[in-house]
Each structure stands twice: as structure tokens, then as C-alpha cells.
């Protein structure tokens, strides 16, 4: 009989709601208002890749050694270069990076001898197509441009 009355009067439901309401004090709620407020990212977070440039000359720091592509376990980096006959140095022609397959391990960043490639704190990498996830040299030098919402 007691079990029947507990079921009819929803005693277990009321006890559960009481526990929930007691622990959901508005002072303890910490919600980030994401588009308006940028979330804090951990210091060691590895996000969007960037190809660094020399601030004085504006040229890329990449020497086209292809070590980043060899270090990448997913083989998603493609580096191609041509030898300049005047300076006898290799010059970077194309650099593509497939962010859709990247696991952000940082091995490419560690393998680069001149710190030309780095994984930044940027985390907004969404695109509407798969082709948008394959970044060319220009996109890597500029970095991602997420939409900034204003309220």
C-alpha cells in the first residue's frame, strides 16, 4: 500500500526535483555567452595552423625543406618548391594543409627548423564544404577569419 501511495503522489519525482533545485543556485552557474564573449583557451592549445612570415620583408619563413610533410603522420601537408637560379636557393611555390584530416598533434610544428609553421590558439575552423578545409599558402599566412558577431 505504501509503494502505491508513493507512486500516486510522485514522491520520488518530488524528492529528485528538490535535490536538483537545491544544487542549481544561480550564483553557481557559469555560462559563457559564446559569440559575444570569446572563451578562454588553454595556453598549450593547438588550433589552426599558420605559416609565419618575416615581419620586416613580408616573405614567408618557410625554406621548403619538406620536413613538416615528412613528420606528419596523416600525410596531409604538401610542399612544393622550385630552385631559383640566381640565388641557388629553393623557393616555396605551393603549400597546402588539409585541416579536415589534421589531428593537431604538433609534429609538423616541432619538425620545422625555422619555426615557419605553428599551431595557433584559433579554434573556429568550420566551413560549409570539404574544399574549405584545405588551406593554401595564402590562407595559411593570413590565418582563419572567423565571423565576429556584434550584439
Amino acid at each position: 500500500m505504501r509503494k502505491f501511495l508513493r507512486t500516486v503522489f510522485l514522491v520520488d519525482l518530488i524528492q529528485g526535483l528538490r535535490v536538483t533545485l537545491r544544487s542549481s543556485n544561480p550564483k553557481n552557474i557559469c555560462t559563457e555567452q559564446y559569440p559575444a564573449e570569446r572563451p578562454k583557451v588553454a595556453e598549450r592549445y593547438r588550433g589552426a595552423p599558420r605559416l609565419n612570415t618575416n615581419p620586416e620583408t613580408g616573405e614567408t619563413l618557410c625554406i621548403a625543406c619538406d620536413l613538416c610533410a615528412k613528420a606528419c603522420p596523416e600525410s596531409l601537408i604538401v610542399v612544393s618548391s622550385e630552385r631559383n637560379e640566381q640565388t641557388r636557393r629553393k623557393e616555396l611555390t605551393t603549400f597546402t594543409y588539409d585541416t579536415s584530416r589534421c589531428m593537431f598533434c604538433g609534429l609538423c610544428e616541432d619538425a620545422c627548423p625555422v619555426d615557419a609553421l605553428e599551431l595557433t590558439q584559433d579554434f573556429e575552423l568550420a566551413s560549409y564544404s570539404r574544399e574549405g578545409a584545405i588551406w593554401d599558402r595564402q590562407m595559411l599566412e593570413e590565418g582563419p577569419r572567423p565571423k565576429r558577431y556584434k550584439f
Side-chain angles (χ1 to χ4, degrees):
M1 183 72 171
R2 184 177 172 143
K3 185 177 180 182
F4 176 72
L5 290 175
R6 286 181 69 91
T7 306
V8 169
F9 291 113
L10 304 171
V11 174
D12 295 332
L13 178 68
I14 293 171
Q15 286 177 344
L17 283 174
R18 192 173 74 211
V19 169
T20 303
L21 294 174
R22 196 175 344 132
S23 64
S24 64
N25 186 357
K27 295 177 189 174
N28 299 333
I29 297 174
C30 55
T31 304
E32 292 180 354
Q33 303 299 323
Y34 167 59
E37 298 174 10
R38 307 297 294 167
K40 294 177 185 172
V41 181
E43 183 180 330
R44 294 175 57 190
Y45 177 78
R46 293 187 297 246
R50 180 177 60 213
L51 199 58
N52 292 326
T53 57
N54 187 347
E56 296 172 2
T57 61
E59 295 179 1
T60 183
L61 293 175
C62 183
I63 56 173
C65 64
D66 203 31
L67 288 175
C68 57
K70 290 176 182 161
C72 180
E74 293 292 322
S75 302
L76 54 91
I77 302 173
V78 177
V79 179
S80 58
S81 61
E82 290 181 353
R83 185 158 309 269
N84 188 344
E85 293 300 326
Q86 296 171 348
T87 60
R88 306 289 292 157
R89 299 177 75 191
K90 288 198 296 187
E91 291 183 354
L92 184 68
T93 54
T94 59
F95 193 104
T96 57
Y97 195 105
D98 189 358
T99 58
S100 67
R101 293 177 33 215
C102 184
M103 58 185 173
F104 303 102
C105 61
L107 293 175
C108 57
E109 181 181 23
D110 294 338
C112 186
V114 292
D115 294 332
L117 188 63
E118 92 176 294
L119 297 176
T120 62
Q121 298 274 315
D122 299 326
F123 58 90
E124 295 171 323
L125 303 177
S127 64
Y128 287 105
S129 65
R130 290 187 182 192
E131 290 79 26
I134 300 173
W135 292 6
D136 59 349
R137 178 180 175 181
Q138 180 184 2
M139 179 69 178
L140 284 166
E141 288 175 353
E142 293 174 1
R145 295 188 179 175
K147 185 170 176 112
R148 303 285 182 187
Y149 294 96
K150 296 180 183 172
F151 295 96

